[in-house]
PDB file of all heavy atoms in Angstrom:
ATOM      1  N   MET R  12      30.059 -47.148  10.303  1.00 68.00           N
ATOM      2  CA  MET R  12      29.214 -46.151   9.648  1.00 68.00           C
ATOM      3  C   MET R  12      29.246 -46.276   8.126  1.00 68.00           C
ATOM      4  O   MET R  12      28.219 -46.217   7.474  1.00 68.00           O
ATOM      5  CB  MET R  12      29.652 -44.748  10.057  1.00 68.00           C
ATOM      6  CG  MET R  12      29.441 -44.507  11.541  1.00 68.00           C
ATOM      7  SD  MET R  12      30.153 -42.964  12.123  1.00 68.00           S
ATOM      8  CE  MET R  12      29.315 -41.782  11.114  1.00 68.00           C
ATOM      9  N   SER R  13      30.429 -46.447   7.563  1.00 69.00           N
ATOM     10  CA  SER R  13      30.535 -46.502   6.107  1.00 69.00           C
ATOM     11  C   SER R  13      29.826 -47.714   5.541  1.00 69.00           C
ATOM     12  O   SER R  13      29.360 -47.701   4.399  1.00 69.00           O
ATOM     13  CB  SER R  13      31.999 -46.505   5.682  1.00 69.00           C
ATOM     14  OG  SER R  13      32.663 -47.630   6.214  1.00 69.00           O
ATOM     15  N   THR R  14      29.681 -48.727   6.316  1.00 89.00           N
ATOM     16  CA  THR R  14      29.065 -49.956   5.849  1.00 89.00           C
ATOM     17  C   THR R  14      27.546 -49.900   5.922  1.00 89.00           C
ATOM     18  O   THR R  14      26.871 -50.727   5.330  1.00 89.00           O
ATOM     19  CB  THR R  14      29.611 -51.140   6.671  1.00 89.00           C
ATOM     20  OG1 THR R  14      31.030 -51.071   6.660  1.00 89.00           O
ATOM     21  CG2 THR R  14      29.203 -52.460   6.100  1.00 89.00           C
ATOM     22  N   SER R  15      27.010 -48.910   6.588  1.00 91.00           N
ATOM     23  CA  SER R  15      25.557 -48.849   6.765  1.00 91.00           C
ATOM     24  C   SER R  15      24.819 -48.707   5.424  1.00 91.00           C
ATOM     25  O   SER R  15      23.712 -49.226   5.281  1.00 91.00           O
ATOM     26  CB  SER R  15      25.166 -47.726   7.720  1.00 91.00           C
ATOM     27  OG  SER R  15      25.554 -46.484   7.205  1.00 91.00           O
ATOM     28  N   MET R  16      25.417 -48.032   4.467  1.00 93.00           N
ATOM     29  CA  MET R  16      24.775 -47.933   3.146  1.00 93.00           C
ATOM     30  C   MET R  16      24.718 -49.299   2.467  1.00 93.00           C
ATOM     31  O   MET R  16      23.730 -49.639   1.823  1.00 93.00           O
ATOM     32  CB  MET R  16      25.511 -46.927   2.267  1.00 93.00           C
ATOM     33  CG  MET R  16      25.361 -45.499   2.742  1.00 93.00           C
ATOM     34  SD  MET R  16      26.090 -44.291   1.628  1.00 93.00           S
ATOM     35  CE  MET R  16      27.816 -44.670   1.800  1.00 93.00           C
ATOM     36  N   LEU R  17      25.779 -50.072   2.630  1.00 95.00           N
ATOM     37  CA  LEU R  17      25.792 -51.420   2.063  1.00 95.00           C
ATOM     38  C   LEU R  17      24.764 -52.302   2.756  1.00 95.00           C
ATOM     39  O   LEU R  17      24.081 -53.098   2.110  1.00 95.00           O
ATOM     40  CB  LEU R  17      27.192 -52.030   2.179  1.00 95.00           C
ATOM     41  CG  LEU R  17      27.368 -53.437   1.611  1.00 95.00           C
ATOM     42  CD1 LEU R  17      26.978 -53.487   0.135  1.00 95.00           C
ATOM     43  CD2 LEU R  17      28.798 -53.905   1.812  1.00 95.00           C
ATOM     44  N   VAL R  18      24.609 -52.132   4.055  1.00 96.00           N
ATOM     45  CA  VAL R  18      23.597 -52.893   4.808  1.00 96.00           C
ATOM     46  C   VAL R  18      22.213 -52.611   4.232  1.00 96.00           C
ATOM     47  O   VAL R  18      21.415 -53.535   4.024  1.00 96.00           O
ATOM     48  CB  VAL R  18      23.648 -52.553   6.311  1.00 96.00           C
ATOM     49  CG1 VAL R  18      22.408 -53.064   7.032  1.00 96.00           C
ATOM     50  CG2 VAL R  18      24.902 -53.125   6.940  1.00 96.00           C
ATOM     51  N   LYS R  19      21.916 -51.358   3.952  1.00 96.00           N
ATOM     52  CA  LYS R  19      20.595 -51.008   3.394  1.00 96.00           C
ATOM     53  C   LYS R  19      20.378 -51.698   2.049  1.00 96.00           C
ATOM     54  O   LYS R  19      19.286 -52.199   1.776  1.00 96.00           O
ATOM     55  CB  LYS R  19      20.459 -49.497   3.247  1.00 96.00           C
ATOM     56  CG  LYS R  19      20.328 -48.770   4.575  1.00 96.00           C
ATOM     57  CD  LYS R  19      20.067 -47.304   4.371  1.00 96.00           C
ATOM     58  CE  LYS R  19      20.164 -46.508   5.646  1.00 96.00           C
ATOM     59  NZ  LYS R  19      19.205 -46.797   6.646  1.00 96.00           N
ATOM     60  N   ARG R  20      21.404 -51.727   1.221  1.00 96.00           N
ATOM     61  CA  ARG R  20      21.279 -52.410  -0.079  1.00 96.00           C
ATOM     62  C   ARG R  20      21.053 -53.910   0.102  1.00 96.00           C
ATOM     63  O   ARG R  20      20.264 -54.526  -0.611  1.00 96.00           O
ATOM     64  CB  ARG R  20      22.531 -52.182  -0.931  1.00 96.00           C
ATOM     65  CG  ARG R  20      22.768 -50.746  -1.319  1.00 96.00           C
ATOM     66  CD  ARG R  20      21.975 -50.370  -2.553  1.00 96.00           C
ATOM     67  NE  ARG R  20      22.188 -49.001  -2.944  1.00 96.00           N
ATOM     68  CZ  ARG R  20      22.947 -48.597  -3.950  1.00 96.00           C
ATOM     69  NH1 ARG R  20      23.568 -49.476  -4.690  1.00 96.00           N
ATOM     70  NH2 ARG R  20      23.086 -47.321  -4.224  1.00 96.00           N
ATOM     71  N   MET R  21      21.753 -54.476   1.061  1.00 97.00           N
ATOM     72  CA  MET R  21      21.592 -55.905   1.329  1.00 97.00           C
ATOM     73  C   MET R  21      20.195 -56.201   1.868  1.00 97.00           C
ATOM     74  O   MET R  21      19.581 -57.209   1.501  1.00 97.00           O
ATOM     75  CB  MET R  21      22.656 -56.386   2.321  1.00 97.00           C
ATOM     76  CG  MET R  21      24.066 -56.374   1.761  1.00 97.00           C
ATOM     77  SD  MET R  21      25.312 -56.768   3.018  1.00 97.00           S
ATOM     78  CE  MET R  21      24.950 -58.519   3.290  1.00 97.00           C
ATOM     79  N   GLN R  22      19.704 -55.341   2.740  1.00 97.00           N
ATOM     80  CA  GLN R  22      18.358 -55.537   3.289  1.00 97.00           C
ATOM     81  C   GLN R  22      17.298 -55.457   2.187  1.00 97.00           C
ATOM     82  O   GLN R  22      16.344 -56.243   2.179  1.00 97.00           O
ATOM     83  CB  GLN R  22      18.081 -54.490   4.374  1.00 97.00           C
ATOM     84  CG  GLN R  22      18.871 -54.732   5.638  1.00 97.00           C
ATOM     85  CD  GLN R  22      18.792 -53.592   6.634  1.00 97.00           C
ATOM     86  OE1 GLN R  22      18.565 -52.442   6.265  1.00 97.00           O
ATOM     87  NE2 GLN R  22      18.995 -53.900   7.909  1.00 97.00           N
ATOM     88  N   THR R  23      17.475 -54.531   1.270  1.00 97.00           N
ATOM     89  CA  THR R  23      16.541 -54.414   0.146  1.00 97.00           C
ATOM     90  C   THR R  23      16.558 -55.696  -0.687  1.00 97.00           C
ATOM     91  O   THR R  23      15.501 -56.212  -1.070  1.00 97.00           O
ATOM     92  CB  THR R  23      16.909 -53.200  -0.733  1.00 97.00           C
ATOM     93  OG1 THR R  23      16.820 -52.023   0.071  1.00 97.00           O
ATOM     94  CG2 THR R  23      15.999 -53.077  -1.934  1.00 97.00           C
TER      95      THR R  23
END
Side-chain angles (χ1 to χ4, degrees):
M12 295 172 59
S13 60
T14 309
S15 62
M16 291 186 292
L17 181 57
V18 166
K19 289 185 190 295
R20 296 276 180 103
M21 292 173 70
Q22 289 170 334
T23 299

